[in-house]
């Protein structure tokens, strides 16, 4: 096997004793392999194979995820740029991340719970997803830095003038009267954060990021193989360990990326009459394909309310929309599309 990349890492493992490791990537006849070797002094103690396979993208994703785990545990590479991507943070981004890091360790739990309760109530009354109103990260920072005025509120990352105008009064109603020991502006946080601990936290964030990327990559492979083998939605759901809705969303993404999902569409629509499919297609032509609800009622009628619910019918609409959008793209490219 040809070694195409090699790096040495070290960390302080206790009692000022330095531990060493070696990370390598090899390739042989199109098969990639990632290895990690731990050393103690001059003797090799352990070796782990992180990945072996033919996918460059999956190999790189595994490499980044596992390396982030090790760096979160305190390992540092001899050669910089170990992630093979842009790693330099702009000063403003770094300062904002330090505020997030500090808030995760010094938040007022009672205030945080009160803000979460506010979000649940507001989301219900406005019929919005809770994360649209405010993320957990934002609520953590509000509970930590306890703004008392709109000027202070606007110094919290994630709070713009729109959010402050819309919800600032509610937030300040929860935070403004809570005793606090710190002051504004929040530039004191930079000195309050210990750099090595912050660096390890940053690598933990990378670990989570790359883990999600790896999960998406592996799910895509499972779905593509399943579709090629003629599996239906229910079987793909079981194979991927995700909900039926998540399968459908992933299938839509695969189509956007240029993969063919026609076998799945044919499988799922085989019991749907040609007349019903044509009605949905016509609804898209008349109503557009941006929103499903107008197309649903155009295809099935304004009073359509089946006893089994609408989920199945929305699923049909989404599957046929994949075909419809594909046809639109072909037409835009000057090709003849037929249904």
């Amino acid at each position: 096997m040809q070694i195409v990349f090699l790096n040495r890492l070290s960390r302080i493992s206790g009692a000022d004793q330095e531990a060493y490791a070696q990370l390598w990537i090899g390739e042989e006849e199109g098969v990639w392999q990632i290895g990690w070797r731990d050393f103690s002094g001059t003797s090799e103690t352990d070796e782990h194979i992180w990945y072996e396979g033919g996918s460059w993208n999956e190999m790189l994703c595994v490499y980044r995820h596992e390396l982030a785990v090790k760096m979160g545990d305190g390992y540092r590479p001899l050669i910089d740029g170990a992630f093979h991507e842009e790693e330099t943070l702009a000063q403003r981004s770094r300062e904002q991340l330090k505020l997030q890091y500090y808030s995760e360790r010094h938040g007022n739990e009672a205030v945080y719970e009160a803000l979460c309760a506010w979000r649940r109530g507001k989301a219900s009354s406005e019929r919005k997803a809770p994360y649209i109103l405010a993320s957990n990260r934002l609520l953590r920072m509000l509970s930590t830095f306890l703004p008392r005025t709109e000027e202070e509120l606007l110094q919290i990352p994630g709070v713009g003038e729109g959010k402050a105008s819309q919800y600032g009064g509610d937030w300040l109603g929860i935070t403004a009267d809570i005793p606090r020991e710190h002051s504004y502006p929040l530039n004191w946080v930079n000195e309050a954060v210990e750099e090595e601990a912050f660096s390890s936290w940053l690598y933990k964030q990378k670990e989570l990021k790359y883990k999600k990327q790896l999960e998406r990559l592996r799910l895509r492979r499972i779905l593509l193989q399943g579709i090629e083998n003629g599996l239906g939605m229910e079987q793909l759901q079981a194979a991927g360990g995700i909900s039926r809705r998540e399968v459908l969303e992933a299938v839509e993404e695969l189509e956007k990326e240029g993969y063919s999902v026609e076998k799945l569409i044919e499988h799922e629509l085989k019991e749907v009459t040609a007349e019903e499919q044509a009605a949905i297609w016509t609804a898209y032509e008349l109503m557009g394909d941006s929103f499903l609800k107008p197309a649903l009622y155009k295809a099935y009628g304004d009073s359509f309310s089946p006893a089994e619910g609408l989920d199945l019918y929305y699923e049909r609409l989404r599957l046929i929309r994949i075909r419809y959008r594909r046809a639109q793209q072909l037409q835009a490219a000057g090709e003849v599309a037929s249904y």
Side-chain angles (χ1 to χ4, degrees), residues 19 23 25 52 169 182 195 212 217-218 230 238 252 297 301 318:
L23 171 61
I25 298 175
E52 185 171 16
H182 62 266
E195 282 296 329
K212 289 180 181 178
L217 195 62
R218 288 174 171 168
E252 289 174 329
Y297 289 112
R318 293 178 73 167

Side-chain angles (χ1 to χ4, degrees), residues 125-146:
S125 65
E126 294 188 359
R127 297 182 180 274
K128 294 180 180 178
Y131 71 87
I132 293 177
L133 275 64
S135 65
N136 290 341
R137 178 175 58 190
L138 174 55
L139 298 188
R140 281 285 177 199
M141 285 193 279
L142 291 172
S143 74
T144 301
F145 300 117
L146 301 170

Side-chain angles (χ1 to χ4, degrees), residues 114-175:
L115 288 165
C116 288
W118 165 85
R119 183 175 59 180
R120 287 193 297 271
K122 201 71 171 178
S124 177
S125 65
E126 294 188 359
R127 297 182 180 274
K128 294 180 180 178
Y131 71 87
I132 293 177
L133 275 64
S135 65
N136 290 341
R137 178 175 58 190
L138 174 55
L139 298 188
R140 281 285 177 199
M141 285 193 279
L142 291 172
S143 74
T144 301
F145 300 117
L146 301 170
R148 293 175 178 173
T149 66
E150 184 172 330
E151 181 182 1
E152 292 181 348
L153 184 62
L154 289 169
Q155 295 181 46
I156 306 294
V159 179
E161 293 185 359
K163 288 281 188 183
S165 174
Q166 194 171 13
Y167 304 123
D170 292 346
W171 295 339
L172 293 175
I174 296 171
T175 64

Side-chain angles (χ1 to χ4, degrees), residues 72 76 101 105 193-203:
R76 296 294 179 265
Y101 168 79
R105 283 150 181 77
V193 169
E194 198 275 315
E195 282 296 329
E196 185 59 29
F198 174 64
S199 293
S200 292
W201 177 83
L202 284 177
Y203 290 122

